[in-house]
Amino acid sequence: MAVSVRLPDSIRARLPYLLSRAYQRQLVLFAEHTRELDVSGREYAVMLLLEAHERLWQSQIAEALGLDRTTVTYLVDAMEKRGLAARQRDPADRRAHVIALTAAGTALLAELAPAVRAARDELLAPLSEPEQEQLRDLLIRLNQEPV
Amino acid sequence: MAVSVRLPDSIRARLPYLLSRAYQRQLVLFAEHTRELDVSGREYAVMLLLEAHERLWQSQIAEALGLDRTTVTYLVDAMEKRGLAARQRDPADRRAHVIALTAAGTALLAELAPAVRAARDELLAPLSEPEQEQLRDLLIRLNQEPV
DNA sequence: TATTGTTATACTCTATAACTATA
DNA sequence: TATAGTTATAGAGTATAACAATA
């Protein structure tokens, strides 16, 4: 193999590069720490959403998480097949499916918590506690949509 | 449509969510600001790399940017077809292709600079200048691989 | 006529493996 | 035997459109 090439500062110090690196690393760490529980980041997001709201239409899940309706159909298919979520027709509007976590889903969510914490801690390890807080605050403000 | 659902803090304040939001937003802003120049983020990265190093093997590009060899082949194919980069056999090792920016490639890189700056400024607009520096520093430290 | 959810299709990215030419 | 690059293929993920049921 030829001599390795140093990544120039014109890339290394760029925000897009830094963000994509941090994001990729987060994906890898989440996957590593939750491997034996076999849950995608998206499924985890759905579970957190259902933990907070308990009963939601698929369309509400799609809107809240910024997903396509069809994507949610596939997601819920998989979660239902694994017994993590249950689908019911909404008697009040028979077009809609109401989704809720099952007991198994709630249990898995509890199992996931320490793994997710460990992944986050590993990601943030290079920073001190106050710096971690600072980073979170800055990212929250960065993501604030202009009103 | 049913009532909109508020994204719970269990998601909204999570680092993975914040990172992915910031990353997605960055992708959108780059695409918007460079639309008429028709360059992918990856092509831009290759151009910055070639600006810093001038002549590189495809394998060196792949290694520096963390891409697959095949991906680089396709990338360089496209850039060569547009006249942005030139491929030459390396006389010193005839297995290898040496890639360099053409004059058109250098010119496009110059055209891209203000668009990229505008995208970055829009992304960072919610933060003050010192905060922007702080964010960059924290992300650099976050991405430091343990030695 | 619009909305909810499903299904089929296609399209982009990515990963893998097989191949050539050179070393 | 290993490396540089190419090509073909398959897979995941995503987007689009057409459709049935219901409002």
Side-chain angles (χ1 to χ4, degrees), chain A residues 17-73:
Chain A
Y17 171 78
L18 293 168
L19 283 175
S20 106
R21 273 286 300 247
Y23 176 63
Q24 298 301 329
R25 199 159 129 65
Q26 177 270 304
L27 288 181
V28 167
L29 288 174
F30 178 88
E32 279 179 10
H33 282 270
T34 64
R35 189 180 313 130
E36 69 282 4
L37 297 174
D38 191 31
V39 167
S40 72
R42 230 164 230 187
E43 287 171 332
Y44 184 53
V46 171
M47 294 170 79
L48 287 174
L49 192 61
L50 287 172
E51 183 189 38
H53 289 288
E54 294 192 17
R55 299 169 57 76
L56 292 176
W57 286 9
Q58 292 186 194
S59 61
Q60 292 176 307
I61 296 175
E63 194 206 1
L65 299 180
L67 302 174
D68 195 276
R69 293 181 293 156
T70 65
T71 306
V72 174
T73 296

Side-chain angles (χ1 to χ4, degrees), chain B residues 11-87:
Chain B
I11 295 178
R12 192 182 290 280
R14 254 198 175 61
L15 214 64
Y17 171 79
L18 292 169
L19 283 175
S20 106
R21 274 286 300 245
Y23 176 63
Q24 298 302 330
R25 198 159 129 68
Q26 178 270 307
L27 288 181
V28 167
L29 288 173
F30 178 88
E32 279 178 10
H33 282 269
T34 64
R35 189 180 309 133
E36 69 281 3
L37 296 174
D38 192 30
V39 167
S40 72
R42 227 161 234 189
E43 286 172 332
Y44 184 54
V46 171
M47 294 170 80
L48 287 174
L49 192 60
L50 288 171
E51 183 188 39
H53 289 288
E54 294 194 16
R55 298 169 57 76
L56 292 176
W57 286 9
Q58 292 186 194
S59 60
Q60 293 176 308
I61 296 176
E63 194 206 0
L65 299 181
L67 303 174
D68 195 276
R69 295 180 292 158
T70 65
T71 307
V72 174
T73 297
Y74 298 132
L75 254 164
V76 173
D77 279 353
M79 295 177 70
E80 193 179 33
K81 195 168 295 174
R82 279 184 66 187
L84 302 175
R87 250 193 192 106

Side-chain angles (χ1 to χ4, degrees), chain B residues 74-125:
Chain B
Y74 298 132
L75 254 164
V76 173
D77 279 353
M79 295 177 70
E80 193 179 33
K81 195 168 295 174
R82 279 184 66 187
L84 302 175
R87 250 193 192 106
Q88 287 179 308
R89 285 255 167 239
D90 188 337
D93 185 336
R94 296 187 39 74
R95 293 172 305 181
H97 281 165
V98 171
I99 312 302
L101 283 183
T102 61
T106 308
L108 181 55
L109 199 50
E111 278 193 275
L112 278 164
V116 169
R117 240 185 334 261
R120 183 205 52 196
D121 289 347
E122 191 172 337
L123 178 71
L124 291 175

